[in-house]
């Protein structure tokens, strides 16, 4: 019973650990997706700022690769196919958070129109120090995102390793407990079979004992009868022997009547 309860408890623990691991993995994937999208958006914003403030650090978007058919058209003086505008969030091509952005847009559309923007201090002027501060802030955000993603990957790796270790230990323990349970069940069955056999043997022994006791009781009764009538039988036997002797003497020619007369006279004298 204890082993069965232990196996059930172990199965429950494994099921809970599996559900928790799945939930943690889903949370990890969502975190990595959102952080990766934010990382791409920040990188895109930084590159756009570099285009205006640090042109040397600006990275051009990769050129569109033409297919074999388009290359033939261009080589023959034709025009290349139009480049598709990047989709995603604000034309960055990042689509991971597009659904969240669209949801927020719909929610904002349901609200009242926002008030007009406040008046500025005048025309915008380029200030390299402020732009460098913004880019540095973006770099700091990218660094924080990278750190968070690295820590999340390490935690996910360790959590997966711990889960696999738990599953292996649980599987080994379940195998051992199941084997022990099977051995105990088998031993119990053997003991029950032996108990049944001993029960049958006991019944036979009891019957044999009762028969023996009945036989002893009959012997006792016979012996008691023999002891009770021993003297009587002894006397009768002696008289029978005397009678046989006298009969033999009579047959041999002895005067039995004379012997009786003398015996009577002797008894009278006494």
């Amino acid at each position: 019973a204890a082993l069965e309860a232990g196996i059930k408890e172990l199965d429950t623990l494994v099921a809970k650990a599996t559900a928790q691991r799945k939930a943690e993995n889903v949370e990890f994937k969502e975190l990595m997706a959102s952080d990766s999208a934010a990382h791409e958006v920040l990188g895109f914003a930084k590159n756009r700022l570099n285009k205006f403030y640090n042109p040397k650090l600006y990275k051009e978007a990769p050129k569109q690769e033409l297919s074999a058919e388009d290359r033939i058209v261009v080589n023959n003086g034709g025009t290349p196919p139009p480049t598709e505008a990047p989709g995603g969030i604000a034309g960055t091509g990042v689509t991971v958070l597009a659904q969240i952005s669209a949801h927020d847009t719909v929610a904002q559309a349901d609200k009242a129109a926002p008030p007009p923007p406040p008046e500025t201090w005048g025309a915008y002027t380029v200030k390299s120090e402020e732009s460098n501060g913004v880019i540095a802030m973006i770099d700091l955000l990218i660094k924080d995102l990278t750190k968070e993603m690295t820590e999340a990957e390490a935690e996910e790796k360790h959590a997966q390793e711990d889960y696999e270790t738990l599953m292996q230990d649980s599987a080994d323990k379940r195998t051992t407990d199941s084997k022990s349970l099977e051995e105990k069940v088998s031993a119990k069955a053997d003991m029950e079979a032996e108990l049944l056999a001993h029960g049958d043997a006991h019944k036979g022994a009891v019957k044999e004992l009762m028969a023996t006791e009945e036989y002893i009781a009959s012997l006792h009764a016979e012996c008691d009868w023999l002891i009770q009538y021993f003297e009587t039988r002894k006397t009768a036997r002696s008289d029978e022997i005397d009678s046989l002797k006298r009969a033999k003497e009579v047959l041999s020619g002895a005067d039995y009547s004379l012997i009786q007369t003398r015996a009577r006279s002797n008894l009278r004298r006494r």
Side-chain angles (χ1 to χ4, degrees):
L3 282 175
E4 292 180 356
I7 291 174
K8 290 181 180 179
E9 183 178 358
L10 182 63
D11 292 341
T12 302
L13 176 63
V14 168
K16 290 182 178 179
T18 301
Q20 181 179 357
R21 180 82 278 273
K22 289 181 178 180
E24 291 175 351
N25 183 256
V26 170
E27 183 178 356
F28 165 75
K29 290 180 178 179
E30 291 178 351
L31 175 65
M32 293 299 293
S34 61
D35 284 359
S36 298
H39 193 283
E40 292 182 16
V41 170
L42 290 173
F44 182 84
K46 178 183 176 181
N47 192 47
R48 282 292 181 88
L49 289 174
N50 285 331
K51 182 177 181 180
F52 296 100
Y53 301 115
N54 298 312
K56 293 181 180 180
L57 300 178
Y58 175 71
K59 297 179 182 179
E60 293 285 347
K63 295 182 179 180
Q64 181 183 10
E65 294 185 2
L66 300 177
S67 62
E69 296 178 355
D70 293 336
R71 283 197 297 269
I72 294 174
V73 172
V74 173
N75 292 334
N76 292 330
T79 57
T83 302
E84 294 182 0
I89 302 173
T92 61
V94 181
T95 59
V96 176
L97 301 178
Q99 294 181 350
I100 299 177
S101 178
H103 177 74
D104 294 340
T105 302
V106 173
Q108 292 176 1
D110 294 337
K111 298 179 181 179
E119 296 180 358
T120 61
W121 291 95
Y124 176 74
T125 58
V126 177
K127 296 181 180 180
S128 60
E129 293 182 359
E130 294 181 1
S131 64
N132 290 334
V134 174
I135 293 176
M137 185 181 296
I138 292 177
D139 289 337
L140 182 61
L141 292 174
I142 292 175
K143 183 179 178 181
D144 291 341
L145 286 173
T146 303
K147 181 181 178 181
E148 184 180 22
M149 293 171 68
T150 303
E151 292 177 351
E153 288 177 348
E155 291 177 358
E156 173 67 14
K157 180 181 179 182
H158 293 157
Q160 183 64 25
E161 290 176 353
D162 293 341
Y163 172 74
E164 292 176 357
T165 301
L166 174 64
M167 291 299 103
Q168 184 62 43
D169 293 343
S170 300
D172 294 341
K173 181 173 177 21
R174 196 181 195 286
T175 301
T176 303
D177 291 348
S178 298
K179 183 177 180 181
S180 178
L181 180 61
E182 290 178 359
E183 291 176 353
K184 289 189 176 184
V185 170
S186 178
K188 180 183 178 182
D190 294 339
M191 292 178 67
E192 289 178 349
E194 291 180 2
L195 179 61
L196 183 60
H198 286 311
D200 295 338
H202 175 70
K203 291 180 180 178
V206 169
K207 290 181 180 179
E208 185 177 355
L209 177 61
M210 291 176 64
T212 303
E213 289 178 349
E214 290 178 359
Y215 177 67
I216 291 174
S218 65
L219 288 178
H220 242 297
E222 186 176 352
C223 290
D224 292 342
W225 186 85
L226 289 174
I227 292 172
Q228 182 179 359
Y229 296 99
F230 175 74
E231 294 296 332
T232 303
R233 294 184 67 189
K234 181 179 179 182
T235 303
R237 184 66 175 169
S238 297
D239 294 343
E240 185 179 357
I241 292 173
D242 290 340
S243 297
L244 290 174
K245 287 180 178 179
R246 290 171 186 168
K248 184 178 179 181
E249 290 175 355
V250 170
L251 292 175
S252 298
D255 189 355
Y256 186 70
S257 60
L258 179 61
I259 294 174
Q260 289 181 344
T261 303
R262 289 179 179 177
R264 290 174 182 173
S265 62
N266 289 333
L267 289 174
R268 289 173 182 175
R269 290 175 183 176
R270 291 177 183 177

